[in-house]
Amino acid sequence: QRVLINGASGGVGTFAVQIAKAFGAEVTAVCSTRNVELARSLGADHVIDYSASDFREEVLKLTGGRGVDRVYDPVGGDVFTQSLRCMAVGGRICPIGFASGTIPQIPANILLVKTLAVMGFNYGYYVGWSPHDARFEEAERTFALAERIRGWCEQGLCRPHVDRTFALPEAPQAMRALLERSVTGRV
């Protein structure tokens, strides 16, 4: 399957690229100019610099007009909406956050015309940080996936990308680096 990963140079995005590759997907990573080489080094088959081109058009060119089967989106806003427009019929999009600061209003007409599914993901649901605590009812599935990912890490298929490390008294500087978007991967 073809997977589009928005925010591919962020802490979760860098891991998403690697996990998609471990599953055998053809990965298109979307990131800024300064992070193109990082996305390639993580295994992305295609990297689109969103600041240099219309990523929707680039995705459609890469897929011969078909679009991608899956989209991982931690960005939200216009990126989410444009992602819907470059999906293949029957695709699935997974919003996991709104780093852009804008929660998108999903245009139902696109979902209808392309038979798309939107599947949100709230990690807190699985670890007890959400109003609905599914730790116990989903434990078997959660642990199985965690073991699979651990195995990929042991095989070197997935590795966290740590940009820099701060001492606890430097927490304000670490937060500033995150807010300034001068970080790739984890802090």
Side-chain angles (χ1 to χ4, degrees):
Q1 292 195 343
R2 293 178 169 146
V3 177
L4 177 71
I5 298 177
N6 293 317
S9 62
V12 179
T14 55
F15 216 61
V17 169
Q18 296 172 76
I19 289 173
K21 288 305 297 179
F23 271 115
E26 179 182 315
V27 175
T28 299
V30 179
C31 57
S32 65
T33 305
R34 66 186 178 85
N35 297 318
V36 166
E37 288 310 313
L38 170 63
R40 280 196 182 102
S41 75
L42 296 170
D45 298 286
H46 312 284
V47 182
I48 298 172
D49 176 356
Y50 69 80
S51 60
S53 64
D54 176 352
F55 81 84
R56 175 183 171 259
E57 289 302 318
E58 290 295 317
V59 168
L60 293 174
K61 282 181 198 172
L62 286 170
T63 62
R66 181 181 176 278
V68 293
D69 303 295
R70 302 286 184 258
V71 175
Y72 158 86
D73 182 49
V75 180
D78 188 52
V79 169
F80 180 90
T81 306
Q82 290 306 309
S83 295
L84 287 175
R85 297 180 187 281
C86 63
M87 293 181 68
V89 171
R92 181 183 299 171
I93 187 168
C94 180
I96 68 146
F98 312 107
S100 69
T102 304
I103 299 171
Q105 299 302 304
I106 301 170
N109 61 320
I110 297 173
L111 301 180
L112 174 71
V113 170
K114 290 187 162 193
T115 316
L116 300 178
V118 179
M119 178 72 181
F121 178 76
N122 175 2
Y123 180 66
Y125 173 81
Y126 299 94
V127 296
W129 303 340
S130 181
H132 178 80
D133 185 349
R135 280 180 291 178
F136 302 106
E137 63 195 70
E138 295 288 344
E140 187 176 324
R141 193 171 82 163
T142 302
F143 287 135
L145 181 57
E147 281 301 301
R148 190 174 198 181
I149 292 171
R150 187 179 63 76
W152 290 334
C153 291
E154 288 175 351
Q155 295 170 33
L157 296 173
C158 296
R159 63 193 184 294
H161 174 78
V162 178
D163 186 78
R164 41 195 137 141
T165 303
F166 292 86
L168 188 56
E170 300 171 316
Q173 292 92 324
M175 287 304 298
R176 192 169 16 269
L178 286 169
L179 292 172
E180 292 170 350
R181 300 184 62 200
S182 66
V183 173
T184 58
R186 304 310 266 164
V187 171

